[in-house]
Amino acid sequence: MSIDFRNRHFISTQDFEKDEIDLMMNVSYEMKKKFALGEPTRYLPDKTCFLIFFDQSTRTRNSMEAGMTQLGGHAHFLAPEHMQVSHGETPRDTAIVLGRFGHGIAIRHCKFKVGNPFLKDLCQHARVPIMNLQDDVYHPFQGLADLMTIQEKFSNNLKGLKVVISWAYAESHLKPLSVPQTQILLFPRYGMDVTLAYPEGFDLMPDIVDTARRNAEKTGSKFTITHDMTESFKGADVVIAKNWGGFFVGDTEEAIRKEQAKHKDWLCDRKKMELANKNAIYMHALPADRNKEVTDEVIDGPWSVVFDEAENRLHTAKAVMALTMGGRP
Ligand code: CP
């Protein structure tokens, strides 16, 4: 295994070997321990990370900003509408210039079929690491925080753990595919049995599903797709019920919302959670559409680990930044 992460781009967990992800997790645990003890983690003194957000964020932006401060550096928030990209400046020129000013560039760009190509364009031209803060395909920082949370709750041997990743109804906005796609790619690599549940038509990207299946085959874990939410919860150890937009059921937001509205019964409630195993946990990347995706009773109840999951965004963000922007002298 190479321990040299310097200047490596962090676009998808799929770009990293499993033992490299293990190292990211170990560093995340170290960051968490030091945070709890009030010990300094100044691994990036005087370094700058540029954060470009094409979309709204609470957890991602603030875990990166707080994380950079705790690492001894500075995170510089950039809104594209105040950048020259809004006048058509290319990703290439943006990457070259910001790369000359600082030490890392992190971007959230979730627009379907636009975000991931934009990030890939930056990667080709930046001489500093590009970090994916969520695009239309992947949300790797969320994936690491989710993995950390599951490891904390179930220990390191996750072989055979049943994880249900279920679509759920929402109205707030068309949520990207990138959270469930990252989860179905990552969890089978750790031996977890993934059940993906969604109403007919709300498919994830076919190439991502194919890769997830191959990941499962390699570790001998199960990868199952069902269109029955209730059935999927039976015997689950981990339930992750959240919305994704259904970008293949309609061409316009109006058409997709019309399709979504047919599935308001895809709600994670007590009755369904009681079908899961006794010690099952409920996870959600947040923000949640309360009482549409999940009832208050579940998200605020004994199953829920959503705030531990959110906190782990900080520790994993610090680990990835320290490894890619810092590293060996
Ligand atoms: N889970 C997550 O990415 O949250 P934000 O959209 O608030 O960053």
Side-chain angles (χ1 to χ4, degrees), residues 229 233 239 241 266-270 273 282 293-295 298:
M229 187 185 197
F233 276 45
V239 171
W266 282 66
L267 166 72
C268 181
D269 58 12
R270 168 184 280 276
M273 282 305 297
Y282 173 78
E293 292 176 293
V294 55
T295 59
V298 169

Side-chain angles (χ1 to χ4, degrees), residues 10 49 51-53 55-68 75 77 106-110 131-135 138-143 145 178-179 285-287 309-318 321:
F10 185 65
C49 185
L51 310 179
I52 306 174
F53 276 87
D55 304 278
Q56 297 92 328
S57 169
T58 296
R59 278 141 292 270
T60 306
R61 174 179 173 178
N62 291 293
S63 59
M64 296 293 283
E65 290 200 18
M68 270 308 283
F77 177 77
I107 308 104
R108 168 168 286 193
H109 198 341
C110 298
M131 286 166 272
N132 183 357
L133 300 179
Q134 187 175 24
D135 63 21
Y138 308 111
H139 195 354
F141 281 101
Q142 186 65 51
S178 41
V179 171
L286 302 179
E309 183 183 1
E311 183 195 316
N312 286 338
R313 293 295 309 276
L314 173 70
H315 312 303
T316 47
K318 286 169 69 180
M321 287 192 285

Side-chain angles (χ1 to χ4, degrees), residues 202-265:
F202 283 76
D203 302 288
L204 300 180
M205 292 174 175
D207 58 325
I208 298 289
V209 174
D210 287 347
T211 307
R213 273 192 212 287
R214 282 198 297 277
N215 286 353
E217 277 164 20
K218 279 184 201 155
T219 59
S221 55
K222 294 181 199 149
F223 181 80
T224 312
I225 293 182
T226 173
H227 302 301
D228 185 333
M229 187 185 197
T230 304
E231 189 63 28
S232 73
F233 276 45
K234 290 181 182 164
D237 299 297
V238 179
V239 171
I240 306 174
K242 78 175 283 298
N243 179 262
W244 59 85
F247 293 94
F248 302 113
V249 292
D251 290 334
T252 62
E253 179 165 347
E254 193 190 359
I256 295 170
R257 281 184 181 276
K258 206 170 149 191
E259 284 303 312
Q260 295 208 138
K262 294 177 184 168
H263 305 290
K264 291 186 180 177
D265 57 326

Side-chain angles (χ1 to χ4, degrees), residues 37-38 64 114 153:
L37 291 170
M64 296 293 283
V114 176
K153 304 298 172 193

